[in-house]
Amino acid sequence: MTTQHHGYIFNIQNFSVHDGAGIRTTVFLKGCPLRCTWCSNPESQLAKPQLAFNIKKCLTTEKCTRCIKACPQQAIFSTEDHLVSIDPSKCVRCHTCAESCPSNALTVYGERKSVTEVIDEVEKEAVFFTRSGGGMTLSGGEAMTQPQFAIGLLKEAKRRRIRTAMETCGYCHWGDLNEACTYLDELIFDVKCADDAVHKKGTGASNHRILTNLANVLYHFPELPILIRTPVIPKINDTPEHIQAIIALLPVQKNISYELLPYHRMGQSKYEFLGMKYPLKNIKLAPETMKTLRTLEAAANMSFNK
């Protein structure tokens, strides 16, 4: 039964309007096979829950030492400046410290949920789905890194007559993606770069599997509405040549649409919370660049809609 499946999520976001048709509830699953240098959800990359520390929220050890006292491994200590510090070599990820933190300076990204628990939460917004033509969208991370859980969520949503969508980077087993598509009302498929060497540089992985899966989806699901998305990243794919190469991969079919997403740094602070370095610094996407690329986007969508 689908309700027996459990998985890890890091957010359930209501009233989403950019992740499929209508008003949607987006379920963000943990785990991703890519390491995109522009990733805005670094907390999604690892499959299991992660401890995060926002030093700006910390009360300092002059006022609070609850996390230090709570840690069974003595992995948390006070610095000379009365700030909390964590020894990663001692931390066993029990997350007891986060449970004891009164200011939520210590938090955990990710929790284990059952299919039923997630869909019960999603279904609370059903009235908005009905009125707007929306539903549930699976995102991440990459939903297909937890294929049984993701497919279980899609099956249960369909059983409860909730419309379904999924965003995927395409780097997954075709059998899993094929099964997921049978329970989808729409698919959002990210294509970051047609050039394999550039794709490896930006994501750490080849695009061969991604493009093969895209071709399979387009062939086997000719009636499924598919939105192809490309994040436009400076010095990676922000030229007409790169965008035209992606558009050239797409057949002229009415079920296809294309969207460019301009680069942003909204997730940068989360890198600091996780003790990670932000890979891209001091780069900006020029407005005139997006204006030029938007003409290619518009022309592609006109051809699909003929």
Side-chain angles (χ1 to χ4, degrees), residues 12-279:
I12 297 179
Q13 180 177 299
N14 296 322
F15 301 105
S16 296
V17 293
H18 300 294
D19 299 321
I23 297 173
R24 313 193 69 82
T25 292
T26 303
V27 180
F28 293 87
L29 279 67
K30 288 274 285 176
C32 185
L34 304 183
R35 292 295 180 268
C36 301
T37 55
W38 59 88
C39 180
S40 60
N41 289 327
E43 75 277 26
S44 74
Q45 293 178 3
L46 298 185
K48 295 296 177 69
Q50 291 171 271
L51 182 66
F53 177 51
N54 183 347
I55 194 170
K56 293 180 181 179
K57 288 186 176 183
C58 184
L59 301 176
T60 75
T61 56
E62 287 184 305
K63 298 179 181 179
C64 177
T65 57
R66 292 186 186 183
C67 60
I68 295 175
K69 294 175 181 177
C71 180
Q73 303 299 318
Q74 296 182 325
I76 304 177
F77 58 95
S78 177
T79 68
E80 292 181 357
D81 298 326
H82 305 289
L83 299 175
V84 166
S85 186
I86 303 171
D87 183 347
S89 67
K90 293 182 179 180
C91 179
V92 295
R93 299 172 182 83
C94 67
H95 303 145
T96 304
C97 56
E99 296 173 5
S100 67
C101 181
S103 64
N104 291 322
L106 286 163
T107 56
V108 178
Y109 286 124
E111 57 183 331
R112 190 171 186 265
K113 294 279 190 179
S114 70
V115 165
T116 297
E117 287 175 315
V118 173
I119 300 301
D120 283 349
E121 188 68 24
V122 170
E123 197 171 32
K124 293 177 182 178
E125 307 301 313
V127 64
F128 299 105
F129 305 157
T130 302
R131 292 177 179 177
S132 69
M136 178 187 75
T137 300
L138 299 187
S139 187
E142 169 52 55
M144 290 287 92
T145 59
Q146 300 184 65
Q148 288 188 332
F149 182 51
I151 292 168
L153 291 170
L154 296 173
K155 284 183 178 180
E156 183 62 12
K158 296 299 286 184
R159 190 185 73 80
R160 301 194 197 187
R161 299 184 180 181
I162 298 171
R163 292 180 60 81
T164 57
M166 182 174 75
E167 182 176 9
T168 180
C169 72
Y171 196 96
C172 56
H173 295 294
W174 165 243
D176 295 331
L177 182 57
N178 180 54
E179 185 176 359
C181 285
T182 64
Y183 300 104
L184 289 175
D185 293 297
E186 52 188 306
L187 176 66
I188 302 169
F189 198 113
D190 292 352
V191 180
K192 298 166 177 64
C193 192
D195 185 297
D196 189 50
V198 176
H199 194 277
K200 286 180 181 177
K201 177 184 176 182
T203 71
S206 169
N207 66 4
H208 178 73
R209 174 180 286 187
I210 294 168
L211 298 183
T212 299
N213 282 339
L214 175 62
N216 284 335
V217 167
L218 294 172
Y219 178 79
H220 291 286
F221 297 92
E223 303 299 321
L224 177 65
I226 302 172
L227 171 62
I228 309 298
R229 275 182 173 171
T230 299
V232 180
I233 313 301
K235 299 182 180 180
I236 297 290
N237 63 357
D238 62 335
T239 65
E241 291 75 20
H242 277 297
I243 301 307
Q244 287 171 332
I246 294 172
I247 294 171
L249 298 171
L250 310 177
V252 179
Q253 297 176 189
K254 288 188 176 181
N255 66 312
I256 298 174
S257 55
Y258 186 59
E259 181 179 24
L260 298 175
L261 300 176
Y263 167 73
H264 63 79
R265 294 198 292 260
M266 288 189 290
Q268 187 172 351
S269 61
K270 291 184 283 189
Y271 283 82
E272 181 181 342
F273 301 160
L274 291 166
M276 300 168 62
K277 290 184 178 180
Y278 186 65

Side-chain angles (χ1 to χ4, degrees), residues 273-288:
F273 301 160
L274 291 166
M276 300 168 62
K277 290 184 178 180
Y278 186 65
L280 299 183
K281 290 185 178 180
N282 302 320
I283 67 166
K284 293 182 179 180
L285 183 63
E288 56 269 24

